[in-house]
Amino acid sequence: MKTMAYDDVLEMLGQFGKYQKRIFILLCLPAISCALHKLSGVFLQARVAHRCLLPGEETNASYFAINDSISSMIYPWDSFQKARSTCLRYDVNITDDYLDGKVPYNHTISCNHWIYDTSNYGSTTLTEWDLVCEHAWLKATSDALLMIGVMLGSIIFGDLSDRVGRKPIFFLSLVMQVVFGLLVATSPNYYSFMFSRLVVGATSSGVYLVAYVIAMEMVGPKKRMVAGVIFQMFFTFGFILTAGFAFYLREWRTLQIALTLPGIAFFTYWWFVPESVRWQLTKGRWEEAKKSLRAVAAENKKTLPESVLDELCTQLENEKKMDSAAGKEKPSILHLFKYPNMRKKSLVIFFLWFVSSGTYYGLSWNTSNLGGNEYINFVISGTVEVPAYTILIFTLDRWGRKAILCGSMIIAGICLLATSLVPADLQWLSITLAMAGKLAITSGYGTVYILTAEQFPTVIRNVGLGAASTFARIGGILAPYVNIMAELWTPLPLIIFGVLSLVSGLSALILPETLNKTLPETIEDGELFGKKAYKVQDHRNGEEMSRLSENKS
């Protein structure tokens, strides 16, 4: 006799009824806010044209006060950037003898102050705190700390949401996001700016992850794939919207305030967003869970017999008692490395997550280094995510996970490497290749989550996904330092991301296909998976696909 499960009750209530749709849309909206905070650094810390302040010049002098002929006598040539240096100048005073060539100039000194081109930005953190040349690493460190915050937030708020409840932690994250978002805008120095952004990064995980979990836990299994993609689309909309805010608000503090204030509207969610029923059932809060399920049934105009609720609660309570009595050893990450085949697959998977996350965020933050209009570049970079995820809906269950993953990563690598071969006068082609690489890496990033969930055996799946997610965060942390290498040579970041994508795509060929395969349940199954024939089984219930958007958290 089949036992009653929570998903069975969801099917009786309606996979995606009126109640679920209403709450789902409310939970999708904060994803926009998370995207604004995660990607605003592109404009808050925009890299603008600058040159050394010359002796006798006022700090508010025009960037264009020096023409090309005089510039060649003042600033040495930077062979990497193929332009005049922005960090060094000749140690001379401009006199008539100097301009006539009677005074040699070959001794250079480092610049202490700079003049910035303010035609595109009124102010950025770079112009306010001189984050250029030997201080450029601070800009990269700020973005890295944001991603460290994302990693810490996923650990801390994820654990708290399991212990305390989804709703209170979701609301706490919303409040903290607004408070520290405003502190970012009012930071008196760069160190307080970096710390505030670290906390904002942590709260983004709290908001995004918990909202996603609540949303997915109330949607029926057959609708989770589509719901997960729609949820991710809201993040993509926030990605694009960031450029709109930045285009009209050119002062970085004003921009940060404008990105933060809409979050106050989410404070009203305390009265509209319910606690997760699945969490209530997990914690044995049977009466609260029954009350919540009755509310869903009433709004969806479905009949839910009390006997069904009683049977569900009784079944779950018995399972909890059995698990407690069994006293089974909890699986750990060490089990992934105990056997050779599991170890090989795990290392490949972790490398794929590292590269996918690092390249995704690296490309998202690197739009100002591509040339052309950086606002348009940024919008295109966000827009290409729509077809990237749409492709997955129609191909993952037809072509297989492995083919999509390998193909996406290899195509991304080829496109990014090809940008270094494009002549300087074909800037549009370089941008097109970079955006094609972004589209491909986004598809790869979405696929690697699905493939990972199906590669690891059930008993250790959550542990494996958690470890893989940690490697993804490390990739995101290091991405800003790769981007800052554009200070040495503009194409270098894309070359590094291209090589990593290409290598990871080729390494993914080692992994076995999981489409229509019986998934491993035990550690022994996981070791044998890919080494022998498995019984074909159609498991396409959409549950794994539904969580593809969680990888951006």
Side-chain angles (χ1 to χ4, degrees), residues 326-392:
K328 294 180 180 178
E329 178 190 3
K330 282 190 175 183
S332 71
I333 190 174
L334 296 178
H335 287 82
L336 298 176
F337 299 95
K338 192 172 182 179
Y339 305 99
N341 190 37
M342 282 277 288
R343 181 167 57 247
K344 177 180 65 176
K345 292 187 294 184
S346 297
L347 291 174
V348 170
I349 287 171
F350 294 158
F351 181 60
L352 282 164
W353 279 73
F354 171 83
V355 173
S356 297
S357 176
T359 305
Y360 173 85
Y361 282 107
L363 294 179
S364 298
W365 291 329
N366 195 52
T367 50
S368 61
N369 292 326
L370 296 177
N373 188 308
E374 53 200 88
Y375 295 98
I376 294 177
N377 290 348
F378 190 86
V379 169
I380 296 173
S381 180
T383 304
V384 297
E385 293 189 10
V386 177
Y389 283 109
T390 304
I391 288 170
L392 296 184

Side-chain angles (χ1 to χ4, degrees), residues 355-356 359-360 363 404-419 432-445 493-505:
V355 173
S356 297
T359 305
Y360 173 85
L363 294 179
I404 299 298
L405 177 60
C406 293
S408 297
M409 302 301 285
I410 291 172
I411 290 172
I414 293 173
C415 290
L416 296 178
L417 288 173
T419 59
T432 300
L433 289 170
M435 294 307 165
K438 173 67 186 303
L439 187 153
I441 202 67
T442 302
S443 290
Y445 201 177
L494 295 184
I495 292 174
I496 293 173
F497 290 133
V499 170
L500 289 172
S501 298
L502 191 60
V503 172
S504 64

Side-chain angles (χ1 to χ4, degrees), residues 1-15:
M1 181 177 176
K2 182 181 176 181
T3 58
M4 177 64 64
Y6 177 61
D7 280 351
D8 297 324
V9 175
L10 284 178
E11 291 186 15
M12 297 176 65
L13 292 171
Q15 298 274 346

Side-chain angles (χ1 to χ4, degrees), residues 83 185 228 247 252 332 436 522:
F247 182 79
W252 78 266
S332 71
T522 66

